[in-house]
C-alpha cells in the first residue's frame, strides 16, 4: 500500500472547492428564502446576514465522500467499514434539523433530542465506542448500552461546544479546521505508522472536515457575507465527534505492540495519546470550556442552560477591548496551542522541550489577552508627534490648563456662537420634520475612541428563545 497522502490532499481540495463554489449560490438562496433573521440582542454583527451556510458544507461533505470512495488506498474504508455511511446518515439528520432551525427556529429541547437521534443512528450503523483504555487497568470492553450512552454523550457535547463558540465571523470554522488538522496528524500516524486499518476512517473524516471549513472560511471571514448557522455548526461538530469516536473506540491500543510488556503497561504508557481522544477535550478545549462556563453561569443566575447571553469567551474578548479580528485570531492561537500541543506530547511525552515550548507559548497567549489593558505612552520628547491619547497625563493636563488660561475669551465667544448655531440647526430640523442630530460629546474627535470601548451594556441576560 502506497502512501495515501496525495489522495487525502485531493479529497481535501475537492471538498474545499465544492464548498467554496456552493456557498455563493446558497447565499442567494438564503436571501430569497428569507433566512436572514433579525439582529438579536446577543449578536455582534449590525446588519442582517443570510444563514444556511451549512447547505454548502453538507454538499462538500457528500462530494468528499463520493470522490474518496474511488481512490486506491482509501476505498478500502468503504469496503470493510460501515462508518462512512453511518457518518453520512447522522450528518444528514443533523443538517436537516439545522436548516429548519436557521429558517424557522427550533426549540432548544427539540434540537437536543434531534442530536441524540442523529447520534443513535450512527450507533446503529456501527459507529460506536467498543472499548476505552483506562490508565493502570488496561483496555476495558463496554457493553452495548454503555457504548451507546458514551457515544451519544460525546456527540451531543461536541456539537453543542462547537455551536456555542459560533459567535464571531470565521471563529467556529477556523477553530474546527485547526482541530481537524491536529486530529488528522494523530489519526494518520496511527493508520500508516502502525498499519492499523481501524484508524483509516478517522483520517478520512478529518481530511473532509478540513476541506469543509477551508472552503467556507473565505465567505465567512470578517465582515462575513454568510453565516453557517446551526446547519453548519452542528454538522461540523458531528463530523469532529465521529472521527474521535472512530479512532478512540475502534483502535485497540494493544494492537500497536509498542512494548514487550503487558497490555496494562502499554496502555499506561500510551495514556498521553489516548486521553485527548477519549473525550476530545484537548481538540475542542476552548469550545468545551466555553460550554461549561456558559452552563455554570446560567445555572448560577437561575436561568436555563439553554438561555442565550453575551457571556461567551469571544464576547469577553470584545469587552476588554479587542477588535473583532484580533479576538478571532486569539481564539485561533489558543486552539492551535492546545490541539497541536496535545498531539506533540502524545508523540514524545518524555521530551522536556515540548513542555517548555507549550509553557512559553501559553505565556505569549496570556500577554495577547491582556494587551488592551495596557495603553502605550510616548516619551516626553515625542509627545508633540503622536495623537493626544498616547501622551502622558501630566503633559496633557498642563497643555489643557495653558490653553484654558490663554483662550478663555475665545472659548466663551465660540461657545456662544456654537450654541446659537446648534439652536438654529435644531429649530430648522424640527420645522422640516426631521429629528435633530445628537450632540457630539466634548473632547471626542477622529483620533480618539468615540465613547466607551465596551460594546455591550449588559451581557448577563438576553431575552431570546435560542
Amino acid at each position: 500500500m502506497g502512501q495515501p497522502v496525495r489522495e487525502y490532499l485531493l479529497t481535501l481540495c475537492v471538498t474545499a472547492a465544492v464548498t467554496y463554489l456552493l456557498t455563493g449560490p446558497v447565499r442567494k438562496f438564503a436571501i430569497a428564502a428569507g433566512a436572514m433573521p433579525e439582529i438579536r440582542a446577543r449578536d455582534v454583527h449590525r446588519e442582517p446576514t443570510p444563514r444556511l451556510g451549512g447547505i454548502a458544507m453538507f454538499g462538500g461533505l457528500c462530494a468528499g465522500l463520493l470522490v474518496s470512495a474511488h481512490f486506491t488506498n482509501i476505498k478500502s474504508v468503504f469496503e470493510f467499514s460501515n462508518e462512512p455511511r453511518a457518518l453520512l446518515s447522522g450528518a444528514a439528520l443533523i443538517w436537516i434539523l439545522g436548516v429548519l432551525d436557521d429558517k424557522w427556529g427550533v426549540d432548544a429541547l427539540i434540537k437536543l433530542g434531534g442530536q441524540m437521534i442523529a447520534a443513535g443512528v450512527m450507533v446503529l450503523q456501527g459507529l460506536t465506542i467498543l472499548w476505552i483504555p483506562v490508565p493502570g487497568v488496561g483496555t476495558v470492553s463496554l457493553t452495548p448500552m454503555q457504548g451507546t450512552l458514551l457515544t451519544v454523550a460525546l456527540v451531543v457535547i461536541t456539537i453543542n461546544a462547537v455551536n456555542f463558540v459560533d459567535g464571531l465571523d470565521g471563529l467556529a470554522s477556523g477553530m474546527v479546521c485547526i482541530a481537524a488538522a491536529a486530529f488528522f496528524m494523530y489519526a494518520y500516524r496511527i493508520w500508516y505508522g502502525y498499519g492499523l486499518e481501524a484508524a483509516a476512517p478517522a483520517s478520512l473524516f478529518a481530511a473532509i472536515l478540513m476541506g469543509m471549513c477551508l472552503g467556507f472560511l473565505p465567505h465567512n471571514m470578517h465582515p462575513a457575507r454568510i453565516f453557517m448557522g446551526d446547519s453548519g455548526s452542528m454538522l461540523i461538530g458531528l463530523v469532529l465527534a465521529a472521527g474521535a469516536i472512530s479512532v478512540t473506540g475502534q483502535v485497540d491500543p494493544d494492537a500497536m505492540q509498542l512494548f514487550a510488556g503487558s497490555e496494562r503497561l502499554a496502555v499506561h504508557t500510551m495514556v498521553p495519546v489516548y486521553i485527548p481522544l477519549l473525550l476530545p477535550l484537548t481538540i475542542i478545549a476552548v469550545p468545551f470550556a466555553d460550554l461549561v462556563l456558559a452552563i455554570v453561569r446560567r445555572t448560577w443566575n437561575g436561568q436555563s442552560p439553554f438561555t442565550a447571553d453575551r457571556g461567551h469567551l469571544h464576547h469577553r474578548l470584545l469587552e476588554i477591548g479587542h477588535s473583532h479580528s484580533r479576538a478571532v485570531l486569539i481564539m485561533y492561537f489558543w486552539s492551535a496551542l492546545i490541539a497541536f500541543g496535545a498531539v506533540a506530547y502524545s508523540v514524545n511525552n518524555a521530551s522536556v522541550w515540548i513542555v517548555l515550548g507549550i509553557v512559553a507559548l501559553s505565556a505569549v497567549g496570556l500577554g495577547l489577552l491582556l494587551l488592551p489593558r495596557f495603553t502605550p505612552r510616548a516619551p516626553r520628547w515625542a509627545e508633540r508627534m503622536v495623537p493626544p491619547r498616547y501622551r502622558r497625563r501630566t503633559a496633557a493636563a498642563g497643555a489643557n490648563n495653558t490653553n484654558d488660561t490663554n483662550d478663555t475669551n475665545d472659548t466663551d465667544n465660540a461657545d456662544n456662537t456654537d450654541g446659537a448655531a446648534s439652536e438654529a440647526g435644531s429649530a430648522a430640523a424640527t420645522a422640516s420634520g426631521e429629528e435633530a442630530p445628537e450632540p457630539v460629546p466634548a473632547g471626542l474627535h477622529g483620533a480618539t475612541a468615540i465613547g466607551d470601548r465596551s460594546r455591550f451594556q449588559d451581557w448577563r441576560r438576553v431575552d431570546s428563545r435560542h
Side-chain angles (χ1 to χ4, degrees):
M1 180 182 66
Q3 294 188 7
V5 175
R6 296 179 181 178
E7 298 180 357
Y8 278 122
L9 182 60
L10 184 57
T11 301
L12 187 153
C13 293
V14 170
T15 305
V18 172
T19 303
Y20 177 81
L21 295 176
L22 285 178
T23 304
V26 167
R27 179 177 182 273
K28 296 181 180 180
F29 170 76
I31 296 175
M36 299 178 61
E38 297 180 357
I39 298 177
R40 299 164 296 184
R42 71 176 187 271
D43 290 335
V44 177
H45 60 283
R46 292 294 176 259
E47 296 181 359
T49 305
R51 298 186 180 181
L52 294 178
I55 297 178
M57 304 181 81
F58 183 75
L61 171 65
C62 296
L65 291 175
L66 180 62
V67 170
S68 60
H70 296 84
F71 290 149
T72 303
N73 296 298
I74 305 181
K75 66 180 181 180
S76 60
V77 176
F78 297 85
E79 296 174 353
F80 302 104
S81 175
N82 200 39
E83 293 183 7
R85 300 178 184 86
L87 171 65
L88 186 59
S89 302
L93 290 176
I94 206 71
W95 171 72
I96 294 174
L97 177 65
V99 169
L100 296 177
D101 181 64
D102 291 340
K103 180 60 178 72
W104 292 285
V106 178
D107 187 75
L109 293 179
I110 297 178
K111 286 198 296 185
L112 181 62
Q115 295 167 6
M116 293 182 177
I117 293 174
V121 169
M122 293 194 301
V123 170
L124 292 177
Q125 299 188 50
L127 186 57
T128 182
I129 298 177
L130 302 178
W131 52 70
I132 57 174
V134 178
V137 178
T139 302
V140 178
S141 299
L142 301 178
T143 63
M145 179 59 67
Q146 293 173 341
T148 300
L149 293 178
L150 185 58
T151 302
V152 172
L154 183 58
V155 171
V156 171
I157 290 174
T158 307
I159 289 176
N160 287 279
V162 176
N163 192 19
F164 273 38
V165 83
D166 184 24
L168 297 179
D169 297 347
L171 182 58
S173 53
M175 292 180 63
V176 172
C177 183
I178 292 172
F183 189 86
F184 175 80
M185 294 174 59
Y186 171 80
Y188 182 80
R189 174 175 174 262
I190 293 180
W191 176 28
Y192 189 77
Y194 299 106
L196 298 181
E197 292 289 340
S203 304
L204 176 61
F205 297 164
I208 293 177
L209 182 58
M210 280 191 289
M212 294 165 60
C213 296
L214 290 175
F216 185 74
L217 260 178
H219 299 272
N220 192 233
M221 294 301 293
H222 183 71
R225 301 177 66 247
I226 185 174
F227 294 152
M228 68 171 65
D230 283 1
S231 59
S233 61
M234 293 195 300
L235 176 63
I236 60 178
L238 182 135
V239 177
L240 182 61
I245 292 170
S246 176
V247 78
T248 304
Q250 304 291 336
V251 177
D252 187 359
D254 190 49
M256 295 184 183
Q257 299 179 355
L258 297 176
F259 308 96
S262 62
E263 178 184 354
R264 178 180 301 181
L265 178 61
V267 174
H268 178 73
T269 309
M270 292 298 293
V271 164
V273 178
Y274 277 90
I275 289 300
L277 299 175
L278 179 62
L279 288 176
L281 302 182
T282 57
I283 300 299
I284 57 167
V286 176
F288 184 78
D290 194 14
L291 172 65
V292 173
L293 291 176
I295 293 176
V296 173
R297 179 178 64 253
R298 295 165 184 174
T299 306
W300 183 267
N301 293 331
Q303 303 174 355
S304 169
F306 303 102
T307 303
D309 58 19
R310 286 171 172 165
H312 293 289
L313 296 179
H314 48 272
H315 290 142
R316 300 294 184 92
L317 290 176
L318 296 177
E319 281 288 326
I320 65 178
H322 289 290
S323 64
H324 189 290
S325 300
R326 184 185 295 175
V328 172
L329 292 177
I330 288 176
M331 299 286 279
Y332 285 176
F333 175 85
W334 281 105
S335 298
L337 176 62
I338 297 174
F340 287 101
V343 173
Y345 186 70
S346 67
V347 174
N348 187 3
N349 57 3
S351 177
V352 180
W353 293 106
I354 295 178
V355 178
L356 294 178
I358 294 175
V359 172
L361 291 175
S362 300
V364 173
L366 291 176
L368 294 175
L369 287 175
L370 299 176
L371 189 61
R373 297 294 186 182
F374 302 96
T375 303
R377 298 296 179 186
R380 295 185 183 277
W381 57 268
E383 288 179 352
R384 296 182 179 274
M385 297 181 291
V386 297
R389 66 178 180 272
Y390 295 127
R391 299 174 185 174
R392 298 180 184 276
R393 293 182 179 180
T394 55
N400 292 335
N401 293 333
T402 304
N403 294 334
D404 293 341
T405 303
N406 296 335
D407 301 332
T408 303
N409 296 330
D410 295 340
T411 303
D412 293 338
N413 295 333
D415 290 341
N416 294 334
T417 304
D418 294 340
S422 176
E423 293 177 0
S426 300
T430 305
S432 61
E434 299 178 356
E435 295 183 0
E438 296 182 0
V440 179
L444 297 181
H445 48 81
T448 58
I450 299 180
D452 190 5
R453 299 190 73 174
S454 176
R455 306 191 180 191
F456 308 118
Q457 296 179 355
D458 186 12
W459 53 264
R460 297 183 181 277
R461 180 172 299 175
V462 175
D463 296 331
S464 176
R465 295 189 309 132
H466 308 295

